Amino acid sequence: GDTAAKHEPNQTQRQRQQLASIMMMMKKTYLRLLLLLGISRTARAWVHHTILPTIIHSNNHNNNRRRTAQPQLQNSYIDIDESAVRDVATFDEWAGTCGVQRSDGFRLTGDEDNNNMDVSVVTTEDLPAQSPVLFVPHEMILSARQSLLEIGQLNEAERRLVSANAAKHVPKFYLFLRILQEFEQGDASPWFPWFNALPRYYSNGASMTPFCFECLPPLAASLAMAERIKFIQFFQALKYVDFLSDEVKGSKELAKWAFAVVYTRGFGTPDGDFCVTPMADMFNHAAEPDVELTYDEDGNCCVYTVRDVPAGQPLCLQYADPTNPSFLFARYGFLDESCNASFCKIMIKQPSPQLVDLGYDHSRMLFTKDTGDVSPEVWDVLLYQILEAEDPAVQQQFYQAHMQGDDETKQAIHNHYFAQTSVALSNHVDTFLRELQVLQSKGAGKDVAEHPRLPLIMQHNEFVEETFLAVQSNLAQYAYA
């Protein structure tokens, strides 16, 4: 993670820097034209077909030349030490010169006293619903599909991933390689200012220690471990990549950082691609989002408000299903405390089609944190399992009533077996709370310097505990009713 010593640029490096300067100047011209013509679809198309092909050709030619030999780390490249300062100001200026357009009042804000560890987007002006907030030209966007086209297919690396049951992650592996490729170019990479503004510290599953997994409940632990395994698969596949230097391929910390950039800052597109979009990746998450991210027919990223947003408020996206904070915790490395409902932690390894029909899904089997309410799907799934042992004929009757929308029959069966169902749910809640206390005790007194993600894990467990205590309180009232 140390910054390499800066060397005098050779002729090839000077050519790259000159090319980067030309590209920057042309993108400034592009921005001025957009401002003159407006951001209508027709105007954008005209500019894209007249000026940008030159930029694209120059950039692709540069990338192809880079791949012909193993480059040496002789430029100044970013410090990936977890305490490194994020240079947000330079990135903000660079984005503007590259054609990024922002609404009036769009601001990046961070805690400068804490090395800008967390940077977010706020608006200093009122924004009505459906207002354009951000436009990022497609030349700035790093995509999995384009990465594969520019790098070329790597058969051995792909076979390694497929043999590890990671075939579905192959497209993101190419984006991961592109991040490493650009990192290796140091300040000669057009994306250097963005890299230098990215976080170095992540708390996602891939960054956790083996002890961290021991302190998590089953669902969160399995999701976090899946992220860690995926990272290890990517890192091991690097040995089959010939265009990166041995220094880059051998650095597990660098690979972990590049993996986090892809998986915590990228989003899928409607056409099946996966993209990391500078500036759009600065929006934080909220269960109830303020903005929505889309891509137009040219591949440009466009962000619009989905509701009225008053001045002074953060602008947030919804990264994923807000009813599963454990997934957000494992994938992105934060605890979404704005989420009031979460999965009930009833784990069924291979749910039958009937259980799925009844609602067995992490996004539907919910406990509500503030009120302790239990979603109908939880009651349905528990009752169906109880009836399997007690009365299979009634079980089938219950299932058919559900599928036919016969709420009266369903409710009658629920009423008849309510005592058994509530006891089963109470036992699940009580058992889970006892297990959670054991998990919390494991982390007590541990060295945070050795396990820096442990405080977040403890916070996650406390959040889950509060939800289960609220449900336990409600169930106790049912018992005395």
Side-chain angles (χ1 to χ4, degrees):
D2 295 331
T3 303
K6 198 166 187 177
H7 297 269
E8 286 298 318
N10 57 26
Q11 184 176 359
T12 301
Q13 290 171 317
R14 283 197 296 271
Q15 289 173 345
R16 287 179 187 160
Q17 291 168 352
Q18 289 169 358
L19 177 61
S21 297
I22 293 170
M23 289 172 61
M24 193 74 73
M25 181 177 66
M26 295 179 75
K27 287 183 177 181
K28 285 182 180 179
T29 304
Y30 168 57
L31 175 59
R32 292 190 187 103
L33 282 169
L34 287 176
L35 292 175
L36 285 170
L37 297 169
I39 59 171
S40 70
R41 183 174 301 176
T42 303
R44 285 204 308 270
W46 182 84
V47 176
H48 277 287
H49 287 92
T50 53
I51 292 180
L52 295 184
T54 304
I55 299 175
I56 297 168
H57 172 75
S58 299
N59 198 25
N60 287 344
H61 176 72
N62 193 35
N63 284 333
N64 291 335
R65 189 175 68 244
R66 278 186 259 166
R67 194 172 172 253
T68 57
Q70 270 196 14
Q72 299 300 312
L73 296 184
Q74 52 190 352
N75 297 329
S76 175
Y77 61 103
I78 71 164
D79 182 3
I80 61 166
D81 185 85
E82 291 183 344
S83 62
V85 178
R86 300 174 62 179
D87 186 358
V88 178
T90 301
F91 160 70
D92 202 10
E93 181 180 356
W94 169 81
T97 64
C98 289
V100 170
Q101 300 171 65
R102 291 162 277 198
S103 61
D104 292 338
F106 182 107
R107 297 288 185 275
L108 293 179
T109 181
D111 183 3
E112 294 184 2
D113 294 334
N114 194 29
N115 293 343
N116 282 327
M117 289 288 282
D118 184 30
V119 175
S120 59
V121 180
V122 299
T123 177
T124 61
E125 297 190 10
D126 294 340
L127 291 174
Q130 301 303 312
S131 297
V133 173
L134 179 68
F135 171 84
V136 182
H138 72 268
E139 293 81 18
M140 288 181 63
I141 299 172
L142 294 169
S143 79
R145 190 173 293 156
Q146 187 64 28
S147 297
L148 170 59
L149 290 174
E150 294 190 7
I151 291 171
Q153 191 165 8
L154 304 173
N155 293 323
E156 285 299 321
E158 285 195 22
R159 275 195 283 271
R160 176 68 180 81
L161 292 171
V162 170
S163 66
N165 296 319
K168 66 180 180 180
H169 303 303
V170 167
K172 296 184 181 71
F173 176 71
Y174 283 99
L175 182 52
F176 163 77
L177 293 180
R178 182 70 188 280
I179 297 293
L180 290 174
Q181 185 184 52
E182 292 299 334
F183 170 88
E184 191 166 44
Q185 300 309 309
D187 55 8
S189 167
W191 283 272
F192 180 82
W194 171 60
F195 278 178
N196 211 24
L198 292 176
R200 276 50 156 204
Y201 181 90
Y202 292 91
S203 296
N204 56 334
S207 68
M208 293 182 184
T209 64
F211 178 73
C212 291
F213 303 122
E214 297 179 18
C215 299
L216 286 168
L219 176 62
S222 65
L223 292 171
M225 180 64 78
E227 295 297 311
R228 177 72 179 178
I229 291 171
K230 191 161 52 184
F231 158 69
I232 292 171
Q233 292 167 340
F234 277 29
F235 182 67
Q236 291 175 342
L238 282 176
K239 69 179 69 172
Y240 304 104
V241 177
D242 61 2
F243 63 87
L244 293 173
S245 69
D246 291 339
E247 184 177 354
V248 165
K249 292 192 292 186
S251 173
K252 184 172 283 190
E253 292 307 308
L254 173 57
K256 196 182 299 181
W257 176 80
F259 180 91
V261 170
V262 171
Y263 276 91
T264 70
R265 310 187 78 78
F267 297 98
T269 65
D271 64 353
D273 202 356
F274 188 86
C275 297
V276 179
T277 304
M279 191 58 78
D281 66 329
M282 296 294 173
F283 291 102
N284 277 345
H285 165 86
E288 296 185 5
D290 307 290
V291 297
E292 183 178 62
L293 183 151
T294 63
Y295 295 88
D296 65 20
E297 71 281 1
D298 296 316
N300 306 302
C301 177
C302 307
V303 179
Y304 296 89
T305 54
V306 295
R307 58 180 178 177
D308 294 342
V309 183
Q313 181 169 311
L315 295 173
C316 296
L317 286 168
Q318 186 183 95
Y319 290 179
D321 179 10
T323 64
N324 191 354
S326 292
F327 171 78
L328 291 166
F329 171 81
R331 170 62 62 85
Y332 298 99
F334 64 84
L335 178 62
D336 180 17
E337 295 188 86
S338 69
C339 177
N340 189 38
S342 60
F343 177 55
C344 67
K345 318 302 182 191
I346 295 176
M347 304 289 287
I348 302 175
K349 289 186 178 180
Q350 293 181 325
S352 66
Q354 291 81 7
L355 285 174
V356 173
D357 288 339
L358 288 166
Y360 186 80
D361 185 276
H362 292 169
S363 66
R364 299 175 64 189
M365 300 273 291
L366 303 176
F367 289 165
T368 303
K369 180 174 177 287
D370 292 342
T371 62
D373 290 340
V374 178
S375 69
E377 289 83 357
V378 175
W379 294 108
D380 287 350
V381 167
L382 281 175
L383 177 55
Y384 186 82
Q385 291 180 305
I386 290 169
L387 291 173
E388 185 171 5
E390 295 213 1
D391 195 330
V394 176
Q395 181 194 42
Q396 186 62 21
Q397 182 186 9
F398 178 76
Y399 176 72
Q400 291 299 328
H402 174 80
M403 296 303 291
Q404 295 168 7
D406 185 355
D407 293 336
E408 185 176 348
T409 299
K410 268 188 70 176
Q411 190 58 50
I413 298 173
H414 265 301
N415 293 341
H416 184 75
Y417 288 93
F418 180 72
Q420 293 97 314
T421 313
S422 60
V423 167
L425 185 55
S426 293
N427 289 340
H428 164 69
V429 170
D430 295 344
T431 300
F432 185 85
L433 284 169
R434 287 194 297 270
E435 292 172 351
L436 204 55
Q437 290 176 355
V438 173
L439 295 175
Q440 289 292 76
S441 66
K442 287 184 178 182
K446 293 293 182 180
D447 184 2
V448 175
E450 185 179 355
H451 307 287
R453 280 80 184 170
L454 196 54
L456 179 63
I457 290 171
M458 304 288 273
Q459 185 183 357
H460 169 273
N461 292 352
E462 290 168 3
F463 177 82
V464 174
E465 183 181 37
E466 289 178 18
T467 302
F468 272 68
L469 287 173
V471 175
Q472 186 184 58
S473 176
N474 281 356
L475 292 173
Q477 293 178 18
Y478 294 153
Y480 292 111

